[in-house]
Amino acid sequence: MAALDAKKAFDRVNHITLFHKLCGVGIAAHVIQMLMNWYSKIFVMVRWCNSLSKCYHVKSGVRQGGILSPLLFNLCIDGIIMALVRSDLGCHIGKCFIGCLVYADDITLLSASLSKLQKMFDICYECGNSSDILFNPKKSNLFITGKDYNSFVDDLHISINTIARSQSLKYLGVMFNSARHLDVDVDVIIRKFYTASYSILSHAKHMSELSKLYLVESFCLPVLSYSCEAVSYSRNQLHHLNVCWNNTYRKIFGLNK
């Protein structure tokens, strides 16, 4: 597997390229005109104390946090995805291509062959350049799982930059360990949970027990249960997660083990 990091992905979306792509996928003309009107009137100034710089016209980038922005970015990155699908490189389930997993700017490539994975890198680099999407080799990494996960492998590259090999892979907030079987690192989840729960309880010493429980259930339990519906935990991992919740529950109500 390879996790690719796109440099300033949302900020690099070229407006002219975006409008061309919107026309190409058949978006209604009045919607495109509205977006052109919106994005053509974005200006910024830099404030330093009580002084302002001259006004600059922003010609790239979609608005961070806007509900429309991921959809617009998807249009720009769609060329890379379609090029990978056409290449038919990477992993398949039956006849279904699963060599490229994408969520917004989080891209993970899957391949059973290093040579094919390198070709997929080349496709991403070439198609990315045409869409003003640049990949950051320092934040991208190579991750191996399966029976040969400890084997030595040749370096892989994006352009002239080497992709570093890592023993862990973070995807959509879930940390995986390199092992014979794909394994979720629950230690990261446990540390985050204890940090969140102890932070709340240390500031809620004089609150009622039920108020403490409400806060921990609202803000800390989701940390512990995040992704549990999508990830297969072992019986031992589930036990460790359950112990975390029990420990915090006892701390709230002052119960002994």
Side-chain angles (χ1 to χ4, degrees):
M1 304 181 193
L4 298 184
D5 179 77
K7 284 184 180 179
K8 301 289 183 182
F10 279 44
D11 296 330
R12 291 187 61 88
V13 174
N14 184 283
H15 293 165
I16 302 300
T17 303
L18 174 62
F19 299 144
H20 278 297
K21 289 183 178 291
L22 286 168
C23 293
V25 296
I27 301 296
H30 65 276
V31 175
I32 298 175
Q33 288 173 352
M34 179 188 68
L35 291 172
M36 290 176 67
N37 184 52
W38 183 17
Y39 278 102
S40 64
K41 295 178 180 177
I42 300 177
F43 296 88
V44 297
M45 290 185 291
V46 178
R47 184 204 298 272
W48 179 263
C49 295
N50 294 322
S51 301
L52 291 174
S53 72
K54 65 179 181 180
C55 209
Y56 290 92
H57 185 201
V58 179
K59 299 180 181 180
S60 64
V62 290
R63 300 188 174 194
Q64 297 279 355
I67 58 173
L68 186 61
S69 297
L71 297 175
L72 297 177
F73 178 77
N74 285 349
L75 278 175
C76 294
I77 207 169
D78 191 56
I80 297 175
I81 299 171
M82 296 311 299
L84 289 168
V85 172
R86 286 193 298 269
S87 73
D88 209 34
L89 301 169
C91 292
H92 295 72
I93 294 179
K95 295 182 179 180
C96 179
F97 176 78
I98 58 160
C100 177
L101 305 178
V102 181
Y103 186 86
D105 59 341
D106 283 323
I107 304 172
T108 299
L109 305 179
L110 291 85
S111 174
S113 161
L114 283 170
S115 61
K116 290 182 179 179
L117 186 58
Q118 180 60 65
K119 292 178 181 177
M120 295 171 79
F121 280 159
D122 297 337
I123 291 171
C124 290
Y125 176 74
E126 293 168 7
C127 294
N129 278 346
S130 64
S131 300
D132 292 319
I133 297 174
L134 299 179
F135 293 102
N136 186 352
K138 293 183 179 179
K139 291 187 177 180
S140 302
N141 56 64
L142 176 66
F143 175 83
I144 299 175
T145 185
K147 64 179 182 179
D148 296 324
Y149 74 97
N150 269 331
S151 302
F152 172 81
V153 296
D154 294 330
D155 290 336
L156 298 183
H157 302 83
I158 290 184
S159 182
I160 60 173
N161 300 297
T162 302
I163 301 298
R165 182 172 174 179
S166 175
Q167 295 302 312
S168 60
L169 175 74
K170 187 177 182 180
Y171 187 68
L172 301 184
V174 181
M175 189 71 74
F176 297 94
N177 289 326
S178 179
R180 186 177 181 88
H181 301 287
L182 194 61
D183 182 37
V184 180
D185 188 352
V186 295
D187 291 339
V188 174
I189 299 170
I190 290 171
R191 286 196 298 271
K192 287 181 178 179
F193 171 77
Y194 277 134
T195 300
S197 60
Y198 288 166
S199 176
I200 287 176
L201 294 179
S202 66
H203 289 85
K205 294 178 180 177
H206 304 295
M207 296 178 66
S208 68
E209 294 171 341
L210 288 180
S211 296
K212 293 179 186 177
L213 179 62
Y214 173 77
L215 289 173
V216 172
E217 283 184 338
S218 299
F219 298 103
C220 305
L221 188 57
V223 174
L224 203 61
S225 59
Y226 176 73
S227 79
C228 65
E229 293 181 349
V231 176
S232 297
Y233 289 120
S234 68
R235 185 185 298 271
N236 191 45
Q237 288 174 325
L238 287 172
H239 171 71
H240 286 310
L241 296 177
N242 196 46
V243 167
C244 290
W245 177 246
N246 287 341
N247 287 341
T248 304
Y249 194 87
R250 282 194 291 267
K251 189 174 182 64
I252 291 171
F253 291 99
L255 303 175
N256 296 322
K257 284 193 175 183

